[in-house]
């Protein structure tokens, strides 16, 4: 089962170490054939090519990706499969027995799917899960407005396909199976998937769209949610991430950081560390402005304004940012930071 952000048991994401799975035996030719029988190795930490961002426009900078972890998984995608770019299913929050029950249904449907990975991928359009839980896949799906549906969606789709329908029309309508019940144990409000899906569909704005964010070093892989969870969820929601050790340079280049995420016990520390980076960037900007003329001087003045604006950056704990995503009743009045950014977040929680 996918790990939950709140609980650290077994395979929990960001909690304790996951149990090692025995290597899977290869079936078929290992490439997938449209029936979902291809078993392959996929580097789950590999992300799709990112769109050019405002940071990249200001300065080209290579980012070293974390070491890849290879996970045995089953992925039905294949060049020989009929093109259905608008759909890719994945399972979440299930025990192995539940997954074994649903795998034959996925194969019968003949649509692209991926199982055997705990990580979110941009290609996923439908997360199939029995209940709303705080794990990386579900939270990422919420952040970018994707479908979160119950296993009954697969069963109904298989029954519908027996009518010899072809193409996407053979799938049951998702709205009937979209999870609508909340999860009091995990403080998740009812109708959260529908809210974010319709919000993104209507405005094209994801939960963290166009926010420049950074994750404080206090958030590590030992905590829940983990650093990788937070980064994945923010990126899925449209945020642009800047490494903490590159924050001062980003500020000096004239970028204004909107949001910093820290461990819940280190919010004050994160604010203090941020203030130091702001001061360092301001000093660098002031030193660089001396003697600068023309376009160079203009850039330095812009950088000075951005460091002043960043002094009002919102600093959220990792738990708070998740709570904001899953609870549509969350108040931001007590949050420290820019009224402008708070207003942007509030607007995204309005129907």
């Amino acid at each position: 089962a996918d790990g939950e952000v709140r609980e650290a048991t077994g395979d929990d994401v960001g909690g304790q170490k996951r149990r090692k799975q025995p290597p899977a035996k290869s079936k078929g030719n290992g490439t997938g054939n449209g029936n979902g029988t291809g078993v392959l190795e996929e580097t789950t930490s590999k992300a799709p090519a990112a769109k050019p961002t405002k940071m990249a426009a200001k300065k080209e900078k290579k980012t070293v990706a974390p070491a890849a972890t290879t996970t045995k998984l089953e992925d039905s995608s294949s060049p020989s499969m009929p093109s259905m770019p608008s759909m890719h299913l994945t399972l979440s929050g299930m025990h192995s027995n539940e997954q074994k029950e649903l795998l034959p249904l996925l194969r019968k449907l003949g649509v692209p799917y991926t199982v055997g990975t705990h990580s979110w991928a941009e290609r996923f359009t439908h997360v199939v899960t029995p209940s709303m839980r705080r794990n990386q896949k579900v939270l990422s799906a919420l952040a970018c407005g994707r479908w979160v549906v119950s296993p009954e969606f697969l069963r109904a789709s298989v029954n519908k396909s027996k009518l010899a329908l072809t193409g996407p029309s053979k799938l049951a309508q998702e709205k009937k199976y979209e999870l609508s019940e909340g999860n009091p144990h995990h403080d998740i409000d009812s109708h959260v998937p529908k809210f974010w899906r319709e919000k993104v569909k209507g405005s094209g704005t994801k939960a963290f769209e166009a926010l420049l964010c950074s994750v404080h070093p206090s958030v590590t892989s030992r905590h829940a949610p983990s650093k990788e969870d937070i980064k994945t969820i923010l990126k899925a929601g449209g945020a642009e991430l800047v490494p903490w050790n590159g924050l001062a340079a980003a500020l000096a280049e004239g970028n204004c950081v909107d949001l910093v995420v820290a461990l819940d016990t280190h919010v004050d520390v994160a604010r203090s560390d941020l203030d130091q980076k702001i001061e360092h960037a301001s000093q660098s900007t002031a030193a660089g402005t001396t003697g600068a003329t023309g376009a160079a001087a203009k850039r330095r003045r812009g950088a000075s304004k951005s460091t002043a604006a960043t002094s009002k950056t919102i600093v959220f704990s990792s738990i708070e940012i998740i709570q904001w995503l899953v609870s549509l009743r969350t108040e931001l009045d007590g949050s420290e930071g820019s009224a402008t950014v708070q207003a942007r977040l509030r607007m995204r929680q309005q129907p």
Side-chain angles (χ1 to χ4, degrees), residues 34-36 76 81-82 84 104-113 170:
N35 293 322
S76 69
M81 175 180 291
M84 296 180 66
L105 305 183
L106 288 168
R107 292 165 182 157
K108 285 182 180 179
L109 289 174
V111 298
Y113 69 87
K170 71 180 179 181

Side-chain angles (χ1 to χ4, degrees), residues 46-329:
K46 185 178 179 180
K51 297 179 180 179
T53 62
K54 57 186 179 183
M55 284 287 294
K58 289 180 175 292
K59 181 179 181 181
E60 292 184 1
K61 183 176 182 180
K62 293 183 179 179
T63 302
V64 179
T69 57
T70 302
T71 305
K72 288 286 186 179
L73 56 84
E74 184 166 337
D75 193 318
S76 69
S77 302
S78 169
S80 61
M81 175 180 291
S83 177
M84 296 180 66
S86 61
M87 180 165 290
H88 196 116
L89 310 182
T90 188
L91 306 182
S92 177
M94 299 180 189
H95 292 292
S96 56
N97 290 338
E98 295 175 294
Q99 292 193 20
K100 288 179 181 178
E101 177 190 349
L102 296 178
L103 272 174
L105 305 183
L106 288 168
R107 292 165 182 157
K108 285 182 180 179
L109 289 174
V111 298
Y113 69 87
T114 300
V115 297
T117 174
H118 298 276
S119 303
W120 170 259
E122 179 64 24
R123 65 181 179 276
F124 297 157
T125 59
H126 295 65
V127 176
V128 182
T129 182
S131 64
M132 289 292 297
R133 299 184 180 186
R134 294 189 180 198
N135 60 51
Q136 188 184 115
K137 282 186 185 177
V138 170
L139 295 173
S140 297
L142 296 179
C144 60
R146 303 293 170 82
W147 288 100
V148 182
V149 296
S150 72
E152 288 302 317
F153 169 67
L154 296 181
R155 298 185 180 99
S157 296
V158 168
N159 291 333
K160 187 177 177 66
S161 69
K162 291 180 180 178
L163 301 177
L165 299 176
T166 58
S169 61
K170 71 180 179 181
L171 295 173
Q173 291 187 359
E174 295 97 330
K175 289 183 179 180
K176 295 180 181 179
Y177 305 97
E178 186 170 32
L179 292 185
S180 59
E181 294 184 3
N183 190 329
H185 179 65
H186 296 277
D187 296 326
I188 299 177
D189 284 356
S190 298
H191 303 289
V192 169
K194 178 182 178 181
F195 172 83
W196 286 115
R197 181 179 55 77
E198 292 186 344
K199 191 75 174 177
V200 174
K201 181 180 179 181
S203 65
T205 302
K206 300 177 182 178
F208 307 107
E209 191 78 40
L211 294 181
L212 187 61
C213 308
S214 188
V215 181
H216 188 261
S218 59
V219 182
T220 69
S221 60
R222 300 191 306 273
H223 302 99
S226 70
K227 182 177 182 179
E228 190 59 35
D229 291 334
I230 293 296
K231 290 171 63 177
T232 299
I233 294 164
L234 289 173
K235 288 179 69 175
E240 182 181 347
L241 297 179
V242 55
W244 184 259
N245 57 10
L247 199 56
L251 294 171
E253 286 293 317
N255 297 287
C256 178
V257 178
D258 300 302
L259 175 68
V260 167
V261 180
L263 191 65
D264 55 343
T265 57
H266 287 64
V267 171
D268 291 339
V269 174
R271 167 55 71 183
S272 177
D273 290 347
L274 177 64
D275 288 342
Q276 291 181 19
K277 288 184 177 294
I278 293 171
E279 180 64 24
H280 177 75
S282 297
Q283 292 175 357
S284 298
T285 301
T289 305
T290 305
T293 59
K298 187 176 181 180
R299 284 196 301 272
R300 293 295 180 178
R301 287 193 295 271
S304 179
K305 291 180 181 179
S306 75
T307 52
T310 301
S311 64
K312 296 183 178 181
T313 299
I314 288 182
V315 179
F316 266 166
S317 75
S318 52
I319 296 298
E320 283 178 319
I321 199 65
I322 298 301
Q323 185 64 19
W324 176 83
L325 186 64
V326 301
S327 177
L328 305 180
R329 297 164 287 121

